[in-house]
Amino acid sequence: MSATKLKSINCTQCAAPLSLRGGRYVESINCGYCGAVLDAKHEYSVIKNFVKAKRPYLPLKLGMSGKIKNVEFTIIGVIEFQHSYDHSRWIEYLLFSPTHGYAWLEHDHGHYVFSRRVRDLPDGVMQQYKTTFRARDRKFQVYDFYDATVTFVEGELTWIAEQKDKVHVTEGIAPPWIYTIEKTAKEKEYLFGEYMDYKEIEAIFKPDSALLEPEGVHGAQPYIPHPFVAGLGRAGLFFAPVALLLWLAVVFMGSGQPVFQDRIPADEYLGNQQGATRNFTITNPDRLVELNLYSGLSNAWGWYDIEILQHNEPLFSMSQLISYYHGREGGENWSEGSRSATALFRLPEAGEYSLRVWGEGGTGEYDTTAQRAELDINITEGIIVSRYYLFLLIFFALMVYSRRHFRNRFEKQRWGDDDDD
Amino acid sequence: MTKLVFVMFSMLTMGATYLTINDIGVLEPSIENAREGSRHNGMRGVGRGHYGK
């Protein structure tokens, strides 16, 4: 129910009924039926006509009322503007409250901005894109400059609109706030606005049909992440440090204790039926044992058969390959493979064990003459692998980063460019 | 939604802990029973276009 007093007249040109709700500062009534502009101060005489003005889609209608910021406003006028450069169009609804005066509700491709005229001037020069200035105790960033033309009017306005009236607009944003300077041939107005969610507008004015969802990103639209994305980010902020601590704990406690280290000459493990045998002692059979092989091979490969024995009885065997190739090609150095190999295994109980190793190898593409390189063997017990906590840490860190990623993507859409974070 | 994500992440953390404690998926895959012998079968893939016997 509107708090404004409703009067009505008939259009003095076409006799269509026109409602009057707009208060004493209304200068003109624009007939939506015939396009006549009536002078509110002179017996509603016809001043001019808006010719061939195509009626735009109006999700909200004249006379609709609702509370915005706890103030009851009624829609009394509609004006459509066209961007001079990209020819896009948007609607400005003129709102009236008997207690709080006039305000604007912009509707631009599903986005809504509620703004009011202010007397606060900016404390900086708004001449360059993205430069900052302060107004109404907020820091704004210059967002856009453009010219717009009036293409359609209906209802009551506080001035007499001219078809193709031009206005030069300068906008600064501090989402959800927007500060606008509108300059016409006659005056300059300063407006301070706030972005409003279309669902909120729908709840306020209760239109007959649901409002359309916004398209794209509006300059003053605040970034509100999807609840799931927000949840991922929040949970990631908690779990990433947990995973980091767990990973560090495992790295610290699970790096193990060396139980064997030796360098085996090539003669001992190459072409020797008996292989090279070494003994080692395990004291912690509950955790993994790590075998590390290193050979300084150069453009060669080595294949190592390894047997683990207990009481001179073989427990199990395994094979490890070391292959390392390098060179220079097309002006660039390249290398492939590695000079080391690692194996993790478990031993059944504490005690003495033996390791027996045989080797063979080759160089180049076809030569099967093994390169006579020494083989370093290291055995470490008490190993706890940290890879799962590392994966977890990376995953959680990515979730934290995803918040920033989605925000950056939103900002790029806001600014219409690709070079801003 | 945040609660759901917290539950999911808690389960992931517990899963990682289970895999770590039980050394799952980390044992040397080439280990065989000693009586079966090593995996030595005469084919070696090595280097950039280099092949052994």
Side-chain angles (χ1 to χ4, degrees):
Chain A
M1 187 84 179
S2 169
T4 53
K5 287 181 184 173
L6 176 63
K7 288 197 301 181
S8 64
I9 60 163
N10 291 328
C11 173
T12 51
Q13 180 167 272
C14 72
L18 301 174
S19 299
L20 305 179
R21 308 174 177 88
R24 62 195 171 102
Y25 290 105
V26 168
E27 293 276 335
S28 66
I29 295 103
N30 302 270
C31 178
Y33 300 92
C34 67
V37 179
L38 313 180
D39 189 339
K41 302 296 183 193
H42 295 93
E43 302 296 327
Y44 305 111
S45 57
V46 178
I47 306 167
K48 64 185 78 172
N49 279 281
F50 264 71
V51 292
K52 292 181 182 173
K54 188 183 170 190
R55 189 180 178 79
Y57 162 69
L58 297 172
L60 304 176
K61 310 295 179 203
L62 288 175
M64 282 184 170
S65 297
K67 274 191 176 177
I68 301 180
K69 311 293 174 194
N70 289 321
V71 176
E72 179 88 7
F73 281 102
T74 302
I75 298 173
I76 62 166
V78 175
I79 183 161
E80 184 194 49
F81 287 97
Q82 182 174 34
H83 198 290
S84 299
Y85 178 67
D86 64 18
H87 304 297
S88 62
R89 296 183 183 213
W90 69 95
I91 302 292
E92 302 265 3
Y93 294 99
L94 180 59
L95 311 178
F96 175 67
S97 156
T99 53
H100 288 71
Y102 300 91
W104 290 101
L105 182 66
E106 175 192 313
H107 170 238
D108 185 358
H109 295 86
H111 300 277
Y112 291 86
V113 175
F114 174 71
S115 54
R116 304 202 65 180
R117 194 173 165 182
V118 292
R119 297 182 191 281
D120 310 70
L121 303 185
D123 72 349
V125 183
M126 297 169 64
Q127 282 184 341
Q128 280 193 321
Y129 183 58
K130 290 191 178 180
T131 54
T132 57
F133 65 93
R134 290 192 72 83
R136 291 183 72 87
D137 298 327
R138 289 182 178 85
K139 189 178 174 184
F140 289 85
Q141 207 171 3
V142 176
Y143 178 71
D144 205 1
F145 307 92
Y146 55 88
D147 290 326
T149 311
V150 175
T151 51
F152 175 85
V153 291
E154 185 177 8
E156 299 161 86
L157 296 178
T158 52
W159 77 100
I160 297 169
E162 298 270 357
Q163 198 165 24
K164 296 194 177 174
D165 257 354
K166 276 204 169 179
V167 57
H168 179 73
V169 182
T170 304
E171 291 175 342
I173 56 166
W177 314 106
I178 183 165
Y179 184 87
T180 309
I181 301 176
E182 292 185 356
K183 191 177 174 187
T184 64
K186 295 174 187 168
E187 60 180 356
K188 198 174 187 180
E189 280 196 343
Y190 301 89
L191 296 149
F192 179 69
E194 181 182 353
Y195 184 90
M196 294 184 73
D197 187 83
Y198 78 106
K199 288 285 182 193
E200 195 180 349
I201 294 296
E202 199 171 85
I204 290 169
F205 290 104
K206 300 179 179 60
D208 296 335
S209 55
L211 297 180
L212 297 176
E213 284 192 25
E215 294 172 28
V217 174
H218 189 276
Q221 186 177 352
Y223 172 65
I224 299 170
H226 186 279
F228 188 68
V229 172
L232 287 178
R234 270 189 222 115
L237 278 174
F238 174 79
F239 280 94
V242 171
L244 177 64
L245 288 175
L246 288 170
W247 179 67
L248 288 174
V250 170
V251 166
F252 181 70
M253 294 188 302
S255 56
Q257 299 80 40
V259 294
F260 176 79
Q261 185 174 14
D262 197 9
R263 176 168 290 174
I264 302 177
D267 291 342
E268 205 175 334
Y269 72 88
L270 284 174
N272 177 357
Q273 292 278 329
Q274 299 301 314
T277 305
R278 297 290 186 276
N279 297 325
F280 61 96
T281 304
I282 290 298
T283 56
N284 180 11
D286 295 331
R287 297 247 57 96
L288 296 171
V289 178
E290 182 183 86
L291 168 69
N292 184 268
L293 305 178
Y294 175 87
S295 178
L297 295 174
S298 178
N299 288 319
W301 56 271
W303 183 267
Y304 308 94
D305 289 326
I306 299 143
E307 207 167 57
I308 304 293
L309 305 95
Q310 187 184 27
H311 311 307
N312 288 325
E313 289 295 322
L315 280 177
F316 56 82
S317 63
M318 65 184 122
S319 302
Q320 293 294 312
L321 171 72
I322 292 179
S323 160
Y324 185 71
Y325 286 78
H326 61 98
R328 190 170 175 80
E329 202 170 279
E332 289 186 4
N333 292 323
W334 62 267
S335 69
E336 272 188 7
S338 166
R339 286 179 164 136
S340 65
T342 300
L344 289 169
F345 53 90
R346 206 192 284 277
L347 291 172
E349 58 192 10
E352 291 279 329
Y353 291 88
S354 300
L355 173 144
R356 191 182 292 163
V357 58
W358 299 264
E360 59 183 316
T363 55
E365 285 194 44
Y366 304 108
D367 189 349
T368 54
T369 307
Q371 206 168 67
R372 305 192 72 76
E374 294 170 323
L375 180 66
D376 289 347
I377 297 182
N378 286 286
I379 299 176
T380 310
E381 67 170 350
I383 295 289
I384 306 173
V385 292
S386 59
R387 66 184 70 168
Y388 296 116
Y389 286 132
L390 182 62
F391 294 153
L392 211 57
L393 174 61
I394 292 169
F395 176 74
F396 291 149
L398 282 174
M399 292 305 103
V400 174
Y401 174 74
S402 71
R403 279 173 27 135
R404 184 181 161 86
H405 168 77
F406 284 108
R407 187 183 187 100
N408 286 351
R409 202 171 68 171
F410 186 87
E411 290 302 325
K412 281 176 183 173
Q413 281 183 277
R414 182 200 306 284
W415 292 96
D417 59 22
D418 293 328
D419 60 353
D420 271 81
D421 284 340
Chain B
M1 199 65 88
T2 302
K3 281 182 185 172
L4 172 69
V5 178
F6 263 78
V7 170
M8 285 165 50
F9 282 15
S10 298
M11 289 171 71
L12 281 174
T13 306
M14 286 190 287
T17 304
Y18 176 81
L19 293 173
T20 302
I21 288 175
N22 293 290
D23 302 323
I24 290 171
V26 297
L27 293 175
E28 171 56 37
S30 72
I31 286 179
E32 293 184 12
N33 188 301
R35 276 179 290 185
E36 293 170 9
S38 77
R39 290 157 64 93
H40 180 167
N41 57 10
M43 284 300 292
R44 314 281 183 261
V46 289
R48 181 184 277 193
H50 302 273
Y51 290 92
K53 61 183 179 179

